Amino acid sequence: MHSRKPFYILVALLFIVGLSASIYRGVKHQVPFLPGEQVQSWAVDAKISFDGTGDAAEVSFSLPQDPAYEVLVENASSPGFGLSLSDDKDARRANWSIREAYGSQDLYYKVTLVPTGVTQIHSDDIPSQPEPYLWPATEKTAAEQVINETWARSASNLSFAQQLMNAITATKRSQNMELLLSSQTATQVFLHMLQTKGIPAREVSGLYLEDQRRRQSLSPFVEVFHNGEWVLFDLVKGKQGRPENLLLWERSGHSVLDVMGGVNSQVHFSMLQDTRSALATSIDMMMMNNNALDFSLYQLPLEEQSLFKGILLIPIGVLMVVFLRVIIGVKTSGTFMPVLIALAFIQTSLVTGLVGFLLIVACGLMIRSYLSQLNLLLISRISAVIIVVIGIIGVFTLLSYKFGLSEGLTITFFPMIILAWTIERMSILWEEEGPKEVIVQGGGSLMVATLAYLAMSASWVQHWVFNFLGIHLVILALVLLMGQYTGYRLLELKRFKPLAGDA
Protein backbone atom coordinates (compact mmCIF):
# COMPACT_ATOMS: atom_id res chain seq x y z
CA MET A 1 0.00 0.00 0.00
CA HIS A 2 1.45 3.33 -1.03
CA SER A 3 1.99 6.01 1.57
CA ARG A 4 -0.19 9.10 1.23
CA LYS A 5 2.34 11.34 2.90
CA PRO A 6 3.86 12.63 -0.41
CA PHE A 7 0.35 13.41 -1.64
CA TYR A 8 -0.55 15.43 1.43
CA ILE A 9 2.81 17.21 1.25
CA LEU A 10 2.06 18.16 -2.37
CA VAL A 11 -1.41 19.44 -1.44
CA ALA A 12 0.01 21.46 1.46
CA LEU A 13 2.71 22.96 -0.78
CA LEU A 14 0.18 23.94 -3.44
CA PHE A 15 -2.05 25.54 -0.82
CA ILE A 16 0.76 27.42 0.92
CA VAL A 17 2.44 28.60 -2.31
CA GLY A 18 -0.86 29.74 -3.83
CA LEU A 19 -1.98 31.56 -0.69
CA SER A 20 1.44 33.14 -0.14
CA ALA A 21 1.67 34.32 -3.75
CA SER A 22 -1.76 35.93 -3.50
CA ILE A 23 -0.95 37.68 -0.21
CA TYR A 24 2.41 38.83 -1.57
CA ARG A 25 0.74 40.29 -4.63
CA GLY A 26 -1.76 42.16 -2.52
CA VAL A 27 0.80 43.54 -0.08
CA LYS A 28 3.80 44.11 -2.34
CA HIS A 29 2.04 45.34 -5.48
CA GLN A 30 -0.91 46.86 -3.56
CA VAL A 31 -3.51 44.98 -5.56
CA PRO A 32 -6.80 45.33 -3.63
CA PHE A 33 -8.23 42.12 -2.19
CA LEU A 34 -11.80 43.25 -2.88
CA PRO A 35 -13.20 44.84 -6.06
CA GLY A 36 -14.36 48.41 -6.02
CA GLU A 37 -11.88 49.66 -3.45
CA GLN A 38 -10.90 53.31 -3.75
CA VAL A 39 -7.69 55.14 -2.86
CA GLN A 40 -6.97 58.80 -2.35
CA SER A 41 -4.73 60.53 -4.86
CA TRP A 42 -3.27 64.02 -4.99
CA ALA A 43 -2.90 66.21 -8.05
CA VAL A 44 -0.20 68.81 -7.41
CA ASP A 45 0.57 71.69 -9.77
CA ALA A 46 3.78 73.71 -9.51
CA LYS A 47 3.88 77.10 -11.21
CA ILE A 48 7.37 78.55 -11.80
CA SER A 49 7.55 82.26 -12.59
CA PHE A 50 10.49 84.49 -13.43
CA ASP A 51 11.36 87.57 -15.47
CA GLY A 52 13.57 86.96 -18.48
CA THR A 53 16.45 89.36 -19.14
CA GLY A 54 16.54 88.78 -22.89
CA ASP A 55 19.38 86.27 -22.76
CA ALA A 56 19.39 82.48 -22.84
CA ALA A 57 17.60 81.05 -19.81
CA GLU A 58 17.94 77.73 -18.00
CA VAL A 59 15.62 76.58 -15.25
CA SER A 60 16.33 73.57 -13.04
CA PHE A 61 13.48 72.42 -10.79
CA SER A 62 13.52 69.61 -8.23
CA LEU A 63 10.90 66.88 -8.66
CA PRO A 64 9.32 64.88 -5.81
CA GLN A 65 10.96 61.60 -4.88
CA ASP A 66 9.29 60.68 -1.60
CA PRO A 67 9.00 56.98 -0.58
CA ALA A 68 5.67 57.83 1.07
CA TYR A 69 4.13 58.74 -2.30
CA GLU A 70 4.22 57.01 -5.66
CA VAL A 71 4.34 59.11 -8.82
CA LEU A 72 1.66 57.87 -11.24
CA VAL A 73 1.59 60.56 -13.91
CA GLU A 74 3.71 63.64 -14.39
CA ASN A 75 3.88 66.17 -17.20
CA ALA A 76 5.10 69.68 -17.83
CA SER A 77 3.82 72.62 -19.85
CA SER A 78 6.47 74.95 -21.22
CA PRO A 79 5.60 76.69 -24.52
CA GLY A 80 8.75 77.55 -26.43
CA PHE A 81 11.06 75.89 -23.90
CA GLY A 82 13.03 72.72 -24.31
CA LEU A 83 12.42 70.18 -21.53
CA SER A 84 14.43 67.24 -20.20
CA LEU A 85 13.87 65.12 -17.11
CA SER A 86 16.83 63.64 -15.23
CA ASP A 87 16.11 60.53 -13.17
CA ASP A 88 19.21 60.39 -11.02
CA LYS A 89 19.21 58.03 -8.06
CA ASP A 90 19.71 60.83 -5.56
CA ALA A 91 17.66 63.59 -7.20
CA ARG A 92 15.08 63.97 -9.94
CA ARG A 93 14.99 67.31 -11.71
CA ALA A 94 13.23 68.99 -14.63
CA ASN A 95 15.41 71.22 -16.80
CA TRP A 96 13.92 73.88 -19.10
CA SER A 97 15.99 75.89 -21.57
CA ILE A 98 15.41 78.60 -24.18
CA ARG A 99 17.67 80.78 -26.33
CA GLU A 100 15.98 84.06 -25.49
CA ALA A 101 13.59 84.87 -22.65
CA TYR A 102 11.93 88.29 -22.50
CA GLY A 103 9.65 89.53 -19.74
CA SER A 104 7.42 87.42 -17.54
CA GLN A 105 7.76 83.65 -18.02
CA ASP A 106 5.57 80.88 -16.56
CA LEU A 107 6.39 77.18 -16.47
CA TYR A 108 4.11 74.46 -15.16
CA TYR A 109 4.70 71.00 -13.73
CA LYS A 110 1.87 68.65 -12.76
CA VAL A 111 2.11 65.34 -10.93
CA THR A 112 -0.41 62.78 -9.65
CA LEU A 113 0.60 61.01 -6.45
CA VAL A 114 -0.86 58.20 -4.36
CA PRO A 115 0.18 57.31 -0.79
CA THR A 116 2.22 54.13 -0.41
CA GLY A 117 1.71 53.74 3.32
CA VAL A 118 5.40 54.26 4.11
CA THR A 119 5.74 56.38 7.24
CA GLN A 120 9.43 55.88 8.01
CA ILE A 121 12.26 56.41 5.55
CA HIS A 122 14.89 53.71 5.89
CA SER A 123 18.34 53.75 4.34
CA ASP A 124 20.74 50.84 3.90
CA ASP A 125 23.61 53.22 3.11
CA ILE A 126 25.16 54.93 6.11
CA PRO A 127 25.72 58.60 5.22
CA SER A 128 29.20 60.02 5.61
CA GLN A 129 30.04 62.25 8.52
CA PRO A 130 29.38 65.88 7.58
CA GLU A 131 31.99 68.60 7.66
CA PRO A 132 31.79 70.67 10.86
CA TYR A 133 30.09 74.02 10.37
CA LEU A 134 32.41 77.03 10.75
CA TRP A 135 30.63 79.46 13.04
CA PRO A 136 31.31 83.18 12.69
CA ALA A 137 33.60 84.56 15.39
CA THR A 138 30.73 86.50 16.96
CA GLU A 139 28.61 83.33 17.29
CA LYS A 140 31.20 80.64 17.94
CA THR A 141 31.35 80.93 21.72
CA ALA A 142 27.56 81.07 22.10
CA ALA A 143 27.10 78.07 19.80
CA GLU A 144 29.70 75.98 21.67
CA GLN A 145 28.06 76.70 25.01
CA VAL A 146 24.61 75.69 23.75
CA ILE A 147 25.98 72.56 22.09
CA ASN A 148 27.95 71.47 25.18
CA GLU A 149 25.00 72.01 27.52
CA THR A 150 22.63 70.12 25.23
CA TRP A 151 25.12 67.32 24.60
CA ALA A 152 25.45 66.70 28.33
CA ARG A 153 21.68 66.16 28.60
CA SER A 154 21.54 63.62 25.74
CA ALA A 155 22.43 59.94 25.39
CA SER A 156 22.38 59.44 21.61
CA ASN A 157 22.32 61.37 18.37
CA LEU A 158 18.52 61.27 18.34
CA SER A 159 18.14 62.44 21.92
CA PHE A 160 20.66 65.22 21.24
CA ALA A 161 18.52 66.38 18.31
CA GLN A 162 15.41 66.25 20.49
CA GLN A 163 17.00 68.28 23.28
CA LEU A 164 18.38 70.74 20.76
CA MET A 165 14.95 71.27 19.21
CA ASN A 166 13.49 71.89 22.66
CA ALA A 167 16.16 74.50 23.34
CA ILE A 168 15.49 76.27 20.03
CA THR A 169 11.68 76.26 20.25
CA ALA A 170 11.41 76.96 24.00
CA THR A 171 9.24 79.88 25.05
CA LYS A 172 12.06 81.31 27.18
CA ARG A 173 15.30 80.82 25.29
CA SER A 174 18.79 81.48 26.62
CA GLN A 175 20.69 84.58 25.61
CA ASN A 176 23.13 82.47 23.59
CA MET A 177 20.24 80.93 21.60
CA GLU A 178 18.67 84.36 21.01
CA LEU A 179 22.00 85.55 19.61
CA LEU A 180 22.22 82.65 17.18
CA LEU A 181 18.60 83.05 16.05
CA SER A 182 19.09 86.72 15.34
CA SER A 183 21.17 85.95 12.25
CA GLN A 184 19.92 82.49 11.22
CA THR A 185 16.60 80.69 11.06
CA ALA A 186 15.73 77.99 13.59
CA THR A 187 16.16 75.33 10.92
CA GLN A 188 19.63 76.57 10.01
CA VAL A 189 20.78 76.79 13.64
CA PHE A 190 19.50 73.26 14.29
CA LEU A 191 21.24 71.85 11.19
CA HIS A 192 24.54 73.63 11.84
CA MET A 193 24.70 72.43 15.45
CA LEU A 194 24.13 68.83 14.36
CA GLN A 195 26.86 69.16 11.73
CA THR A 196 29.22 70.59 14.36
CA LYS A 197 28.89 67.33 16.35
CA GLY A 198 29.35 65.21 13.20
CA ILE A 199 25.75 63.94 13.16
CA PRO A 200 24.44 63.15 9.65
CA ALA A 201 21.61 65.58 8.94
CA ARG A 202 20.23 67.44 5.95
CA GLU A 203 17.71 70.14 5.22
CA VAL A 204 14.70 69.04 3.20
CA SER A 205 11.73 70.85 1.74
CA GLY A 206 8.19 69.60 2.24
CA LEU A 207 4.72 70.51 1.05
CA TYR A 208 1.62 70.19 3.24
CA LEU A 209 -1.14 68.59 1.18
CA GLU A 210 -4.51 70.22 1.77
CA ASP A 211 -7.45 69.86 -0.59
CA GLN A 212 -8.20 72.82 -2.88
CA ARG A 213 -5.32 74.97 -1.67
CA ARG A 214 -3.58 77.41 -4.01
CA ARG A 215 -0.35 79.42 -4.02
CA GLN A 216 1.28 77.29 -1.32
CA SER A 217 5.01 77.31 -0.60
CA LEU A 218 7.45 74.67 0.58
CA SER A 219 8.28 74.42 4.27
CA PRO A 220 11.78 73.68 5.64
CA PHE A 221 12.49 70.52 7.65
CA VAL A 222 15.57 68.66 8.86
CA GLU A 223 16.18 64.93 8.58
CA VAL A 224 18.48 63.34 11.17
CA PHE A 225 19.96 59.89 10.54
CA HIS A 226 19.56 57.48 13.45
CA ASN A 227 19.77 53.66 13.51
CA GLY A 228 19.25 53.17 9.77
CA GLU A 229 16.41 55.62 9.25
CA TRP A 230 15.87 59.32 8.68
CA VAL A 231 13.90 61.06 11.45
CA LEU A 232 12.10 64.26 10.49
CA PHE A 233 12.15 67.43 12.63
CA ASP A 234 9.96 70.48 12.11
CA LEU A 235 11.69 73.44 13.78
CA VAL A 236 8.90 75.84 12.84
CA LYS A 237 6.26 73.91 14.80
CA GLY A 238 8.73 72.28 17.21
CA LYS A 239 7.60 68.72 16.40
CA GLN A 240 9.35 65.45 15.67
CA GLY A 241 7.96 62.93 13.19
CA ARG A 242 6.19 63.09 9.91
CA PRO A 243 2.65 64.45 9.52
CA GLU A 244 0.30 62.32 7.43
CA ASN A 245 -0.34 65.06 4.87
CA LEU A 246 3.31 65.98 4.26
CA LEU A 247 4.99 65.44 0.89
CA LEU A 248 8.78 65.70 0.95
CA TRP A 249 9.58 67.48 -2.29
CA GLU A 250 13.36 67.91 -2.09
CA ARG A 251 15.51 65.48 -0.04
CA SER A 252 18.87 65.54 -1.83
CA GLY A 253 20.17 68.70 -0.20
CA HIS A 254 20.11 70.69 -3.46
CA SER A 255 18.11 73.82 -4.12
CA VAL A 256 14.51 73.44 -5.19
CA LEU A 257 14.71 76.01 -8.01
CA ASP A 258 17.70 77.36 -9.97
CA VAL A 259 17.20 79.98 -12.67
CA MET A 260 19.96 81.27 -14.96
CA GLY A 261 19.13 84.14 -17.29
CA GLY A 262 16.18 85.34 -15.22
CA VAL A 263 15.32 87.33 -12.11
CA ASN A 264 12.54 87.39 -9.53
CA SER A 265 12.08 83.63 -9.72
CA GLN A 266 9.50 81.94 -7.50
CA VAL A 267 7.45 78.75 -7.35
CA HIS A 268 3.95 78.20 -5.98
CA PHE A 269 1.96 75.00 -5.56
CA SER A 270 -1.71 74.17 -5.94
CA MET A 271 -3.21 70.83 -5.00
CA LEU A 272 -6.44 68.87 -5.29
CA GLN A 273 -7.44 65.61 -3.63
CA ASP A 274 -9.20 62.99 -5.72
CA THR A 275 -10.49 59.42 -5.45
CA ARG A 276 -9.58 56.74 -7.96
CA SER A 277 -9.86 52.97 -8.33
CA ALA A 278 -7.37 51.05 -6.19
CA LEU A 279 -7.02 48.39 -8.90
CA ALA A 280 -6.33 50.94 -11.65
CA THR A 281 -3.80 52.61 -9.36
CA SER A 282 -1.96 49.35 -8.68
CA ILE A 283 -1.89 48.58 -12.42
CA ASP A 284 -0.38 51.98 -13.16
CA MET A 285 2.21 51.43 -10.45
CA MET A 286 3.10 47.99 -11.83
CA MET A 287 3.47 49.40 -15.33
CA MET A 288 6.13 51.75 -13.99
CA ASN A 289 8.00 48.67 -12.75
CA ASN A 290 8.55 46.20 -15.59
CA ASN A 291 9.63 43.42 -13.23
CA ALA A 292 6.25 43.50 -11.53
CA LEU A 293 4.54 42.69 -14.84
CA ASP A 294 6.41 39.42 -15.42
CA PHE A 295 3.52 37.39 -13.95
CA SER A 296 0.67 39.79 -14.60
CA LEU A 297 -1.98 39.32 -17.26
CA TYR A 298 -2.25 43.07 -17.63
CA GLN A 299 0.76 43.06 -19.93
CA LEU A 300 -1.32 41.19 -22.53
CA PRO A 301 -3.40 43.00 -25.17
CA LEU A 302 -6.96 43.82 -24.14
CA GLU A 303 -8.43 41.13 -26.39
CA GLU A 304 -6.37 38.40 -24.71
CA GLN A 305 -7.14 39.84 -21.28
CA SER A 306 -10.86 39.57 -22.00
CA LEU A 307 -10.39 35.97 -23.15
CA PHE A 308 -8.46 35.00 -20.01
CA LYS A 309 -11.09 36.59 -17.76
CA GLY A 310 -13.48 33.93 -19.03
CA ILE A 311 -11.00 31.06 -19.07
CA LEU A 312 -9.84 31.67 -15.50
CA LEU A 313 -13.42 31.27 -14.24
CA ILE A 314 -13.49 27.61 -15.35
CA PRO A 315 -11.52 26.35 -12.29
CA ILE A 316 -14.22 27.87 -10.05
CA GLY A 317 -16.90 25.94 -11.93
CA VAL A 318 -14.78 22.79 -11.82
CA LEU A 319 -14.40 23.16 -8.04
CA MET A 320 -18.19 23.45 -7.68
CA VAL A 321 -18.76 20.36 -9.85
CA VAL A 322 -16.24 18.27 -7.88
CA PHE A 323 -17.74 19.33 -4.55
CA LEU A 324 -21.36 18.75 -5.58
CA ARG A 325 -20.65 15.40 -7.23
CA VAL A 326 -18.05 13.92 -4.88
CA ILE A 327 -19.17 15.30 -1.52
CA ILE A 328 -22.90 16.00 -2.04
CA GLY A 329 -23.58 13.26 -4.60
CA VAL A 330 -25.57 15.24 -7.21
CA LYS A 331 -26.05 13.35 -10.48
CA THR A 332 -25.38 15.26 -13.70
CA SER A 333 -25.63 14.53 -17.39
CA GLY A 334 -21.97 14.62 -18.34
CA THR A 335 -19.08 15.43 -16.06
CA PHE A 336 -18.25 19.05 -16.86
CA MET A 337 -21.19 19.97 -19.06
CA PRO A 338 -22.62 22.13 -16.20
CA VAL A 339 -19.46 24.26 -16.23
CA LEU A 340 -19.88 25.07 -19.92
CA ILE A 341 -23.57 25.79 -19.40
CA ALA A 342 -22.64 28.10 -16.50
CA LEU A 343 -20.25 29.98 -18.80
CA ALA A 344 -23.13 30.42 -21.24
CA PHE A 345 -25.33 31.69 -18.39
CA ILE A 346 -22.75 34.41 -17.71
CA GLN A 347 -23.24 35.66 -21.26
CA THR A 348 -27.03 35.26 -21.39
CA SER A 349 -28.11 35.93 -17.76
CA LEU A 350 -29.50 33.15 -15.58
CA VAL A 351 -33.22 33.30 -16.42
CA THR A 352 -32.68 33.66 -20.17
CA GLY A 353 -30.13 30.86 -20.11
CA LEU A 354 -32.40 28.45 -18.22
CA VAL A 355 -35.34 29.08 -20.54
CA GLY A 356 -33.17 28.78 -23.63
CA PHE A 357 -31.53 25.58 -22.40
CA LEU A 358 -34.84 23.90 -21.59
CA LEU A 359 -36.37 24.87 -24.95
CA ILE A 360 -33.39 23.66 -26.96
CA VAL A 361 -33.09 20.37 -25.09
CA ALA A 362 -36.86 19.72 -25.23
CA CYS A 363 -37.03 20.34 -28.98
CA GLY A 364 -33.84 18.38 -29.50
CA LEU A 365 -35.19 15.34 -27.63
CA MET A 366 -38.33 15.27 -29.77
CA ILE A 367 -36.34 15.37 -32.97
CA ARG A 368 -33.84 12.86 -31.59
CA SER A 369 -36.69 10.41 -30.88
CA TYR A 370 -37.57 10.50 -34.58
CA LEU A 371 -33.92 10.01 -35.61
CA SER A 372 -33.71 6.91 -33.42
CA GLN A 373 -36.39 5.25 -35.57
CA LEU A 374 -34.20 5.65 -38.68
CA ASN A 375 -31.49 3.32 -37.29
CA LEU A 376 -28.67 5.70 -38.27
CA LEU A 377 -25.03 5.13 -37.43
CA LEU A 378 -23.75 6.94 -34.32
CA ILE A 379 -21.63 9.45 -36.24
CA SER A 380 -24.46 10.31 -38.62
CA ARG A 381 -26.98 10.57 -35.78
CA ILE A 382 -24.75 12.91 -33.74
CA SER A 383 -24.01 15.01 -36.81
CA ALA A 384 -27.71 15.30 -37.52
CA VAL A 385 -28.38 16.34 -33.92
CA ILE A 386 -25.67 19.04 -34.14
CA ILE A 387 -27.25 20.44 -37.31
CA VAL A 388 -30.68 20.33 -35.71
CA VAL A 389 -29.41 22.15 -32.59
CA ILE A 390 -27.94 24.88 -34.77
CA GLY A 391 -31.25 25.17 -36.57
CA ILE A 392 -33.20 25.35 -33.30
CA ILE A 393 -30.90 28.10 -32.00
CA GLY A 394 -31.26 29.99 -35.26
CA VAL A 395 -35.07 29.75 -35.17
CA PHE A 396 -35.29 30.89 -31.55
CA THR A 397 -32.93 33.78 -32.26
CA LEU A 398 -35.01 34.97 -35.22
CA LEU A 399 -38.25 34.67 -33.23
CA SER A 400 -36.74 36.64 -30.36
CA TYR A 401 -35.69 39.37 -32.76
CA LYS A 402 -39.12 39.47 -34.40
CA PHE A 403 -40.90 39.83 -31.06
CA GLY A 404 -38.40 42.40 -29.76
CA LEU A 405 -36.94 40.10 -27.08
CA SER A 406 -33.32 41.25 -27.04
CA GLU A 407 -32.44 38.77 -24.29
CA GLY A 408 -33.18 35.90 -26.65
CA LEU A 409 -30.44 36.99 -29.01
CA THR A 410 -27.82 35.87 -26.47
CA ILE A 411 -28.88 32.23 -26.86
CA THR A 412 -26.17 31.86 -29.51
CA PHE A 413 -23.59 31.73 -26.71
CA PHE A 414 -24.63 28.17 -25.82
CA PRO A 415 -22.01 25.51 -26.71
CA MET A 416 -23.71 23.74 -29.62
CA ILE A 417 -21.56 20.58 -29.62
CA ILE A 418 -22.10 20.10 -25.88
CA LEU A 419 -25.85 20.58 -26.31
CA ALA A 420 -25.90 17.99 -29.08
CA TRP A 421 -24.10 15.43 -26.91
CA THR A 422 -26.39 16.26 -23.99
CA ILE A 423 -29.45 15.57 -26.12
CA GLU A 424 -27.91 12.32 -27.38
CA ARG A 425 -26.99 11.19 -23.86
CA MET A 426 -30.42 12.04 -22.43
CA SER A 427 -32.17 10.26 -25.30
CA ILE A 428 -30.21 7.07 -24.67
CA LEU A 429 -30.82 7.42 -20.93
CA TRP A 430 -34.57 7.79 -21.61
CA GLU A 431 -34.58 4.56 -23.60
CA GLU A 432 -32.52 2.60 -21.04
CA GLU A 433 -33.54 4.04 -17.63
CA GLY A 434 -36.78 5.88 -18.30
CA PRO A 435 -37.88 9.52 -18.01
CA LYS A 436 -37.36 9.66 -14.24
CA GLU A 437 -33.58 9.25 -14.53
CA VAL A 438 -33.53 11.86 -17.31
CA ILE A 439 -35.28 14.33 -15.04
CA VAL A 440 -32.92 13.50 -12.15
CA GLN A 441 -29.74 13.95 -14.17
CA GLY A 442 -31.07 16.88 -16.19
CA GLY A 443 -32.29 18.65 -13.08
CA GLY A 444 -28.98 17.92 -11.33
CA SER A 445 -27.09 19.38 -14.27
CA LEU A 446 -29.17 22.55 -14.19
CA MET A 447 -28.78 22.86 -10.41
CA VAL A 448 -24.99 22.44 -10.61
CA ALA A 449 -24.81 24.84 -13.57
CA THR A 450 -26.87 27.40 -11.62
CA LEU A 451 -24.68 27.15 -8.49
CA ALA A 452 -21.54 27.31 -10.64
CA TYR A 453 -22.95 30.39 -12.37
CA LEU A 454 -23.66 32.10 -9.05
CA ALA A 455 -20.07 31.40 -7.91
CA MET A 456 -18.47 32.40 -11.22
CA SER A 457 -20.52 35.57 -11.64
CA ALA A 458 -19.66 36.96 -8.19
CA SER A 459 -17.62 40.12 -8.65
CA TRP A 460 -15.15 39.26 -5.89
CA VAL A 461 -14.55 35.80 -7.42
CA GLN A 462 -13.86 37.29 -10.85
CA HIS A 463 -11.53 39.81 -9.20
CA TRP A 464 -9.58 37.13 -7.34
CA VAL A 465 -9.10 34.61 -10.16
CA PHE A 466 -7.78 37.27 -12.55
CA ASN A 467 -5.67 39.43 -10.24
CA PHE A 468 -4.39 36.73 -7.86
CA LEU A 469 -3.22 33.85 -10.03
CA GLY A 470 -1.93 32.00 -6.97
CA ILE A 471 -5.55 31.29 -6.01
CA HIS A 472 -5.65 28.67 -8.78
CA LEU A 473 -3.04 26.62 -6.92
CA VAL A 474 -5.31 26.69 -3.89
CA ILE A 475 -8.21 25.47 -6.06
CA LEU A 476 -5.99 22.70 -7.44
CA ALA A 477 -5.06 21.64 -3.89
CA LEU A 478 -8.76 21.48 -2.89
CA VAL A 479 -9.66 19.44 -6.00
CA LEU A 480 -6.85 16.95 -5.31
CA LEU A 481 -7.91 16.71 -1.67
CA MET A 482 -11.55 16.00 -2.56
CA GLY A 483 -10.32 13.47 -5.10
CA GLN A 484 -9.14 11.29 -2.19
CA TYR A 485 -12.59 11.22 -0.60
CA THR A 486 -14.11 7.72 -0.69
CA GLY A 487 -16.84 8.06 1.92
CA TYR A 488 -20.60 8.32 1.51
CA ARG A 489 -22.13 11.19 -0.40
CA LEU A 490 -24.48 13.34 1.63
CA LEU A 491 -27.44 12.46 -0.59
CA GLU A 492 -26.74 8.76 -0.02
CA LEU A 493 -27.30 9.06 3.72
CA LYS A 494 -31.07 8.94 3.18
CA ARG A 495 -30.68 5.18 2.66
CA PHE A 496 -29.77 4.85 6.33
CA LYS A 497 -32.70 6.94 7.60
CA PRO A 498 -34.83 3.84 8.43
CA LEU A 499 -31.98 2.46 10.56
CA ALA A 500 -31.79 5.76 12.47
CA GLY A 501 -35.56 5.59 13.05
CA ASP A 502 -35.40 2.03 14.42
CA ALA A 503 -32.64 3.03 16.83
Side-chain angles (χ1 to χ4, degrees):
M1 183 175 181
H2 296 288
S3 174
R4 291 189 177 183
K5 183 180 293 185
F7 170 77
Y8 289 121
I9 292 175
L10 173 62
V11 171
L13 286 176
L14 290 173
F15 189 86
I16 293 173
V17 171
L19 191 61
S20 301
S22 300
I23 295 175
Y24 174 82
R25 186 165 183 79
V27 175
K28 179 66 176 179
H29 297 152
Q30 299 183 3
V31 177
F33 290 103
L34 294 176
E37 289 189 12
Q38 302 289 318
V39 296
Q40 298 296 326
S41 64
W42 288 94
V44 181
D45 289 348
K47 179 181 179 182
I48 303 169
S49 302
F50 69 96
D51 294 329
T53 60
D55 299 325
E58 293 184 8
V59 179
S60 179
F61 179 61
S62 175
L63 303 183
Q65 196 172 14
D66 188 350
Y69 291 88
E70 183 76 23
V71 176
L72 291 184
V73 182
E74 59 180 350
N75 50 66
S77 175
S78 51
F81 282 78
L83 173 64
S84 64
L85 300 178
S86 60
D87 290 329
D88 295 337
K89 179 180 179 181
D90 298 330
R92 299 174 60 245
R93 302 189 72 87
N95 301 293
W96 288 273
S97 60
I98 192 172
R99 285 291 179 179
E100 295 179 352
Y102 294 94
S104 178
Q105 302 290 332
D106 293 325
L107 306 175
Y108 296 91
Y109 169 77
K110 183 176 182 179
V111 61
T112 301
L113 304 158
V114 291
T116 61
V118 177
T119 57
Q120 296 179 338
I121 301 177
H122 298 274
S123 177
D124 297 330
D125 299 330
I126 299 177
S128 58
Q129 186 174 354
E131 293 290 335
Y133 177 71
L134 298 178
W135 295 92
T138 56
E139 301 175 359
K140 183 176 181 181
T141 302
E144 290 178 349
Q145 290 181 3
V146 173
I147 291 174
N148 292 334
E149 292 174 359
T150 308
W151 185 264
R153 297 194 303 267
S154 64
S156 63
N157 292 345
L158 182 61
S159 61
F160 173 71
Q162 294 169 344
Q163 294 298 323
L164 192 58
M165 181 181 65
N166 293 336
I168 294 175
T169 59
T171 304
K172 294 183 179 180
R173 292 187 286 257
S174 64
Q175 293 181 354
N176 291 329
M177 185 60 70
E178 292 289 355
L179 173 63
L180 297 174
L181 292 175
S182 64
S183 59
Q184 300 184 48
T185 64
T187 301
Q188 292 173 338
V189 171
F190 181 74
L191 179 63
H192 294 160
M193 286 187 173
L194 292 173
Q195 293 175 344
T196 301
K197 298 301 293 185
I199 298 175
R202 61 191 180 192
E203 183 176 359
V204 299
S205 299
L207 180 66
Y208 284 104
L209 298 177
E210 300 179 25
D211 191 22
Q212 299 181 359
R213 296 299 299 270
R214 300 173 63 248
R215 297 189 64 81
Q216 300 299 298
S217 301
L218 297 176
S219 301
F221 298 87
V222 175
E223 283 185 334
V224 180
F225 187 79
H226 177 71
N227 290 340
E229 69 178 55
W230 291 96
V231 182
L232 194 69
F233 287 86
D234 184 356
L235 276 299
V236 177
K237 298 182 179 180
K239 294 182 180 180
Q240 173 190 340
R242 176 176 186 151
E244 293 183 356
N245 63 332
L246 179 66
L247 167 65
L248 296 181
W249 194 276
E250 168 55 45
R251 297 183 58 242
S252 62
H254 299 91
S255 60
V256 176
L257 178 63
D258 292 325
V259 178
M260 298 178 60
V263 294
N264 300 326
S265 61
Q266 56 183 345
V267 56
H268 294 289
F269 298 87
S270 303
M271 61 210 70
L272 182 66
Q273 189 177 24
D274 195 10
T275 302
R276 70 195 317 264
S277 168
L279 180 59
T281 301
S282 65
I283 294 173
D284 292 339
M285 294 172 64
M286 286 189 294
M287 286 184 175
M288 298 178 64
N289 182 5
N290 294 329
N291 294 331
L293 284 171
D294 289 344
F295 298 96
S296 173
L297 296 177
Y298 287 104
Q299 63 181 336
L300 297 176
L302 292 179
E303 184 177 356
E304 280 68 22
Q305 289 186 36
S306 178
L307 177 63
F308 268 101
K309 283 185 177 181
I311 293 176
L312 293 178
L313 290 174
I314 294 178
I316 299 296
V318 169
L319 180 64
M320 293 294 298
V321 170
V322 173
F323 175 77
L324 292 172
R325 292 198 57 169
V326 175
I327 307 299
I328 305 300
V330 178
K331 292 183 179 180
T332 62
S333 178
T335 305
F336 294 109
M337 184 269 288
V339 179
L340 300 177
I341 299 301
L343 286 174
F345 286 171
I346 293 177
Q347 303 294 331
T348 63
S349 79
L350 181 59
V351 176
T352 303
L354 286 173
V355 173
F357 178 81
L358 292 175
L359 289 175
I360 294 172
V361 172
C363 294
L365 285 175
M366 289 187 293
I367 297 175
R368 170 62 178 77
S369 64
Y370 169 74
L371 294 176
S372 63
Q373 301 176 7
L374 302 178
N375 296 324
L376 300 176
L377 296 175
L378 176 62
I379 296 178
S380 299
R381 188 169 65 244
I382 292 296
S383 301
V385 172
I386 292 175
I387 297 173
V388 168
V389 167
I390 294 175
I392 294 173
I393 292 177
V395 170
F396 285 157
T397 302
L398 289 174
L399 290 176
S400 299
Y401 178 75
K402 289 290 185 180
F403 288 103
L405 301 175
S406 58
E407 292 84 0
L409 300 178
T410 59
I411 201 173
T412 54
F413 286 103
F414 276 107
M416 300 174 187
I417 305 298
I418 299 301
L419 285 177
W421 274 107
T422 300
I423 293 171
E424 175 68 19
R425 196 176 290 112
M426 286 185 174
S427 179
I428 296 175
L429 188 64
W430 188 301
E431 297 172 356
E432 296 179 351
E433 303 291 340
K436 180 180 179 181
E437 190 65 22
V438 172
I439 294 175
V440 170
Q441 293 192 15
S445 298
L446 284 181
M447 186 189 73
V448 173
T450 301
L451 294 176
Y453 161 79
L454 294 176
M456 296 162 65
S457 61
S459 59
W460 60 273
V461 172
Q462 296 179 354
H463 176 79
W464 279 10
V465 297
F466 189 78
N467 295 285
F468 301 95
L469 299 181
I471 204 70
H472 295 279
L473 296 180
V474 177
I475 296 175
L476 177 59
L478 294 176
V479 170
L480 293 177
L481 199 59
M482 287 189 289
Q484 290 288 312
Y485 180 74
T486 57
Y488 288 106
R489 277 63 169 167
L490 293 181
L491 294 180
E492 294 176 344
L493 296 180
K494 65 181 180 180
R495 294 185 300 170
F496 301 97
K497 186 176 181 179
L499 298 178
D502 295 340

